[in-house]
Amino acid sequence: MTPDDIETPAVLIDLDRVEANLARAQTYADAHGLRLRPHVKTHKLPRFARAQLALGAIGITAQKLGEAEAMADGGLTDICLPYNIIGAAKLARLAALARRVTLSVTCDNATVLAGYAATFTDPDTPLTVLVECDTGAARCGVQTRQQALALARGIANVPGLHFGGLMTYPARDGEAATDAWLIAARALLTEAGLPPPVISAGGSPGLYRAHLVTAATEHRPGTYIYSDRMQVAFGLGGWDDCAMTVLATVVSRPTETRAILDAGSKALAADLCPLPGHGRITAYPDAVITGLSEEHGHVDLSACTDRPAVGERVRVIPNHACVVTNLFDHVHLIRGTMVEELASVTSRGKLA
């Protein structure tokens, strides 16, 4: 099969680009003595998680419990779940998963800690818990070093839990502030007799500046495996590093300067990025995908010298690869002009 045989819209993953992206990141991490724990939310494929481990990653990161369960089903055995797990049903699933794999989680408040403490009571098989810290991204995380210390003490005082360290998702371009926050927190915890074994940072936009966060012992990049239009805008490589494209067909040319694709919000997602529009059409880089309805991509061709005809198939680099992955049951893994595999996205839709 070649891409010409695929019905549209469909996702194509360029294996040569994937392998180059993975090798580049691992080489960088090795050169800086930094452990990689890649985030699988971008690809959601056990095949690629195993490839990351084969290159030297120490384990994987999964954002939701269902995603982690799917990765365990796919043979992955060392999983970090950096998300507050709340509710009896989810805690029961977490306990079952902990019996299958080496597992760590995060926590940023007493309610979550109480749930972990009530569920994990065996000191011989403790659950590793890291304290999530807000170092500038204004997402989850304790706000002060003193709060981090208080939560670390709370974890350490529960027989069925093990204090695993600190975790953060840094603000973009915020390496200096993140490092200062973590260095101060590490000093405070160490003085209190709780030196953090792991300090985990993450994110793809700052992947090749991760060494500037000197306090970090590991990094959790996700989107780097595929890259996308957003990452290019943020400075993570160029267009030739983008391994994911959405294959689409021009189904209408209502006017000379407007085309309609059969890929709308259900194929390209609606995430925006610092560049205009909803994706880059590789063969027509001056075209702008100005809007998305559910099944239609609206393309402005005003700036194009050459313009696609009805029936022409085009490839679109999406704004945000991670969301597009979650829209498709399968992706086509291609090498050159041939399709090597139709891969099932095993953790698609695993949001709980």
Side-chain angles (χ1 to χ4, degrees):
M1 178 184 286
T2 73
D4 291 338
D5 302 314
I6 299 171
E7 293 187 62
T8 63
V11 172
L12 308 181
I13 305 297
D14 187 311
L15 289 171
D16 290 329
R17 292 185 179 187
V18 162
E19 290 164 5
N21 291 342
L22 295 185
R24 178 188 176 200
Q26 191 63 55
T27 298
Y28 165 83
D30 292 344
H32 291 282
L34 191 63
R35 295 178 294 180
L36 283 188
R37 182 178 286 277
H39 210 310
V40 299
K41 67 183 179 66
T42 301
H43 57 75
K44 299 183 183 291
L45 298 175
R47 165 188 172 139
F48 284 159
R50 289 191 293 269
Q52 289 166 316
L53 292 174
L55 286 172
I58 61 168
I60 63 167
T61 305
Q63 194 63 26
K64 288 296 187 74
L65 184 54
E67 192 172 70
E69 290 167 334
M71 284 291 150
D73 291 342
L76 283 303
T77 60
D78 190 324
I79 303 174
C80 174
L81 186 53
Y83 206 88
N84 287 331
I85 307 298
I86 296 176
K90 281 190 172 67
L91 288 166
R93 289 166 57 198
L94 186 69
L97 181 62
R99 291 191 289 270
R100 300 172 58 195
V101 302
T102 299
L103 184 66
S104 60
V105 297
T106 59
C107 172
D108 75 351
N109 63 76
T111 299
V112 173
L113 175 56
Y116 294 158
T119 305
F120 294 86
T121 58
D122 184 357
D124 293 329
T125 56
L127 175 69
T128 296
V129 183
L130 287 76
V131 174
E132 182 166 1
C133 306
D134 179 4
T135 59
R139 206 151 71 175
C140 296
V142 297
Q143 298 298 295
T144 69
R145 289 86 164 170
Q146 291 72 24
Q147 290 173 340
L149 174 58
L151 204 52
R153 281 175 169 155
I155 295 165
N157 287 335
V158 175
L161 304 180
H162 169 69
F163 172 58
L166 305 176
M167 169 265 172
T168 189
Y169 183 79
R172 186 161 52 87
D173 298 324
E175 288 83 13
T178 295
D179 198 34
W181 203 105
L182 292 173
I183 287 173
R186 180 180 61 189
L188 182 66
L189 269 66
T190 300
E191 184 179 357
L194 288 169
V198 170
I199 299 181
S200 181
S204 287
L207 171 57
Y208 294 106
R209 298 187 302 274
H211 65 283
L212 300 178
V213 184
T214 62
T217 63
E218 68 175 35
H219 195 79
R220 308 179 318 278
T223 315
Y224 80 105
I225 185 172
Y226 290 166
S227 195
D228 55 26
R229 199 161 174 255
M230 187 180 297
Q231 298 302 317
V232 172
F234 290 158
L236 184 76
W239 302 118
D240 289 341
D241 300 308
C242 293
M244 170 189 276
T245 52
V246 175
L247 183 66
T249 299
V250 178
V251 293
S252 179
R253 281 286 307 276
T255 73
E256 183 65 21
T257 59
R258 185 166 83 248
I260 303 296
L261 305 179
D262 64 351
S265 62
K266 290 180 179 177
L268 291 171
D271 286 34
L272 299 176
C273 79
L275 300 174
H278 295 273
R280 175 185 170 91
I281 302 176
T282 59
Y284 301 94
D286 294 324
V288 179
I289 303 175
T290 55
L292 301 174
S293 46
E294 287 184 66
E295 306 293 356
H296 298 87
H298 306 256
V299 186
D300 181 359
L301 303 172
S302 301
C304 299
T305 302
D306 297 319
R307 295 169 180 175
V310 173
E312 186 170 339
R313 292 149 70 86
V314 296
R315 298 186 187 185
V316 182
I317 298 173
N319 282 353
H320 192 181
C322 308
V323 185
V324 171
T325 294
N326 200 52
L327 297 175
F328 288 82
D329 290 326
H330 302 88
V331 295
H332 296 78
L333 308 183
I334 65 171
R335 196 180 300 276
T337 60
M338 300 301 294
V339 178
E340 281 199 1
E341 182 183 340
L342 180 63
S344 296
V345 184
T346 59
S347 50
R348 182 204 173 192
K350 305 293 187 181
L351 305 181

